[in-house]
Amino acid sequence: MASNIGLMDSAYFVGRNEILGWINATLQLNLSRVEEAASGAVQCQMMDMTYPGIVPMHKVNFDAKTEYDMIQNYKVLQDVFNKLKIEKHIEVNRLVKGRPLDNLEFLQWLKRYCDSVNGGITNENYNPVERRTKGGKERNIKGSQKNSKSLQTNRSLNSGLCDGMSVLKQGKSGGVATGVNSSVEINAMTKEITELKLSVDLLEKERDFYFAKLRDVEILCQTPELENLALAVAIKKILYCADEKESALAEAQEIVSRSVNLAGDSEFSDTDH
């Protein structure tokens, strides 16, 4: 079943938001980036949800931070694949590096596989939190801990909005004048929220558009005929740069420049002969 999911399958056109929504809703987590699933724990539990009890959750480390600990999780996942005779090669070395494209691609494949088994219907009898607590090494769930600050901020914002709405509602019951003002403020807030949602939707579409382009470039650079060419190596250097503060452009340019110089020296040497 898994071997039939090719690179051009519609599974690989599923966006990050849908993937994250699927993970968070199914496993009751709070991931905000696909890289947060790089430890392999999420993938293990997704298989446990799809095939209840097949994953030895006591071996799954949700607090894995080092590559060594992450690799142990992927070993558990590979054992499960072997039991189910799933022919899927896991690019462990790439996934544990936290590369967004690699992790997204694997999660896209995983979603398609799970959906093909359960028809896209979540097992209502599966309790992900209880399963992690009783079975897994859940000291700190990566998704919720790594983003604790952002989650606290979201909670604060939500709390502020709720408090604001409560004040407005209280004001409305306080008198006619207050009620009119509250109604105006509520309408203004509603309009502002609508505009923000539209802006977010546009930004997400734009992001997904450029991500799809980058994915096409990555696939092209991975073709056997091109993957060892200097230009392809330079492009992949930029694509796989994990440092958000430093650009890999200079190093990529150096690779191309060195290749051009070598080609020039070779041509000059052939001319002499």
Side-chain angles (χ1 to χ4, degrees):
M1 184 183 300
S3 58
N4 295 327
I5 304 176
L7 278 176
M8 296 310 295
D9 192 279
S10 59
Y12 294 106
F13 294 92
V14 177
R16 296 187 182 203
N17 276 349
E18 186 175 345
I19 292 294
L20 290 170
W22 170 64
I23 293 172
N24 291 335
T26 305
L27 302 183
Q28 297 181 26
L29 293 173
N30 293 294
L31 305 189
S32 60
R33 298 183 301 171
V34 293
E35 307 94 283
E36 291 167 21
S39 71
V42 166
Q43 293 85 333
C44 285
Q45 189 166 17
M46 276 298 181
M47 293 303 295
D48 187 67
M49 184 274 297
T50 305
Y51 296 96
I54 197 169
V55 179
M57 291 296 291
H58 64 281
K59 293 183 178 181
V60 179
N61 187 355
F62 279 88
D63 194 31
K65 291 181 175 62
T66 66
E67 289 190 9
Y68 174 81
D69 289 336
M70 294 179 185
I71 289 172
Q72 304 313 306
N73 285 341
Y74 283 108
K75 285 182 179 179
V76 173
L77 185 63
Q78 187 64 66
D79 287 342
V80 172
F81 281 10
N82 294 339
K83 288 180 184 178
L84 296 172
K85 297 182 179 179
I86 298 175
E87 298 178 2
K88 172 65 176 176
H89 177 64
I90 304 176
E91 297 281 358
V92 178
N93 290 334
R94 290 187 175 185
L95 294 172
V96 297
K97 298 294 183 184
R99 293 173 176 172
L101 291 177
D102 292 317
N103 279 276
L104 176 62
E105 182 180 317
F106 188 57
L107 290 171
Q108 287 170 329
W109 174 89
L110 183 64
K111 183 179 188 305
R112 176 57 183 274
Y113 178 81
C114 293
D115 287 349
S116 69
V117 174
N118 56 33
I121 301 174
T122 303
N123 184 353
E124 295 181 356
N125 296 321
Y126 185 82
N127 188 327
V129 176
E130 181 181 357
R131 189 77 174 111
R132 284 195 297 271
T133 303
K134 290 184 177 181
K137 301 176 182 178
E138 187 190 47
R139 295 185 293 277
N140 292 304
I141 300 175
K142 185 179 181 66
S144 59
Q145 290 297 318
K146 187 174 181 179
N147 296 292
S148 58
K149 292 184 179 179
S150 62
L151 290 175
Q152 289 171 1
T153 302
N154 289 336
R155 292 193 189 99
S156 299
L157 289 173
N158 290 335
S159 177
L161 285 174
C162 291
D163 292 343
M165 293 299 290
S166 298
V167 172
L168 290 175
K169 289 179 180 178
Q170 290 173 4
K172 186 174 181 179
S173 62
V176 177
T178 304
V180 173
N181 292 335
S182 298
S183 178
V184 171
E185 291 180 19
I186 290 173
N187 289 335
M189 289 177 66
T190 302
K191 182 179 179 181
E192 184 177 356
I193 290 173
T194 302
E195 291 175 351
L196 287 172
K197 286 182 177 179
L198 289 174
S199 297
V200 170
D201 288 341
L202 289 173
L203 288 171
E204 288 181 346
K205 288 180 180 179
E206 184 177 1
R207 180 203 58 198
D208 291 342
F209 172 81
Y210 286 112
F211 174 76
K213 296 295 183 185
L214 287 172
R215 177 61 182 146
D216 289 342
V217 171
E218 182 187 32
I219 293 174
L220 182 64
C221 290
Q222 289 175 342
T223 57
E225 298 84 359
L226 301 176
E227 63 177 348
N228 293 322
L229 294 181
L231 184 58
V233 173
I235 291 173
K236 286 188 287 186
K237 176 70 68 175
I238 294 174
L239 287 177
Y240 297 148
C241 179
D243 194 334
E244 297 180 358
K245 296 182 179 180
E246 295 184 10
S247 171
L249 180 59
E251 191 174 352
Q253 288 175 330
E254 184 180 349
I255 292 173
V256 175
S257 177
R258 188 163 56 244
S259 174
V260 172
N261 291 336
L262 288 173
D265 291 343
S266 177
E267 183 178 351
F268 181 77
S269 176
D270 291 341
T271 303
D272 288 344
H273 289 297

